[in-house]
Amino acid sequence: MYRNLLSIVFFLAVLLLSCLLDYPVASNVPAPFRQPVFFRVIRPRAINYVFKTIPAKDFGQSFGLIPRRSHIIPAFPETACNDLDNSAAVRDLIVLIQRGGCSFVTKALVAQRHGAAGVLVYDNTDANFRLFIDMVDDDTGRSADIDIPILFLLGRDGHYLKNALQEEGLESAEVLIPLNITHQPDLIHYHPPWSIY
């Protein structure tokens, strides 16, 4: 019990330090501490909503605690199992990748190799508007090399985001990530009308 208490105190100290120094904290923490990450789309305005994501279960990094503006850009090819055709465009952005074709670890490593700041994997079926998938390590020994955050987004949310970009002729979506809805509870009312959370 003492060891568990010490682990919790250590984790909270690191989390506090991360907040103060704005350093990322690894997201491979025990399940009770793995919380949803929310972001708000600023542009395109057609989907100016707050979206809920879930971090990978046992690999990747955190977006930290300080909200910042960033951009989400779709990967080409959309499953990102090999080199990206739009590799120059993804540098320092969050890459929107469709689930399927290869492991979550492979997707994260491909995006990282091309300079992405993070990965947002969305389900490969737009019918999914409530089931979050646990993105787990593929046991290839490569997950320790992932230095960027990786989040799971519901399929319907990912498809709406990608479609809105295409309809407005935009290369990327401007977002604010992460959002702390605990301190801004009114933000929960800005969820997409097709989602329940």
Side-chain angles (χ1 to χ4, degrees), residues 6-20 25:
L6 188 58
S7 294
I8 292 171
V9 169
F10 177 75
F11 171 75
L12 293 175
V14 170
L15 188 65
L16 178 62
L17 184 62
S18 166
C19 180
L20 295 175
V25 176

Side-chain angles (χ1 to χ4, degrees), residues 59 79-82 97 101-113 138 140 142 146 150:
F59 62 93
T79 57
C81 293
N82 296 302
I97 300 174
C102 59
S103 72
F104 297 116
V105 170
T106 297
K107 293 174 186 303
L109 289 171
V110 167
Q112 180 175 293
R113 186 171 64 241
D138 62 6
T140 59
R142 302 174 301 153
I146 299 172
I150 177 167

Side-chain angles (χ1 to χ4, degrees), residues 2 7 24 31 100 110 115 132 191 193:
Y2 178 74
S7 294
V110 167
F132 284 94
H191 67 81

Side-chain angles (χ1 to χ4, degrees), residues 87-138:
S87 63
V90 305
R91 180 166 291 289
D92 298 324
L93 303 182
I94 301 165
V95 183
L96 182 65
I97 300 174
Q98 188 180 69
R99 178 182 176 212
C102 59
S103 72
F104 297 116
V105 170
T106 297
K107 293 174 186 303
L109 289 171
V110 167
Q112 180 175 293
R113 186 171 64 241
H114 291 284
V119 170
L120 193 57
V121 176
Y122 67 100
D123 203 356
N124 49 4
T125 173
D126 64 356
N128 181 7
F129 62 95
R130 56 174 90 155
L131 178 64
F132 284 94
I133 305 295
D134 257 345
M135 295 186 295
V136 295
D137 190 345
D138 62 6

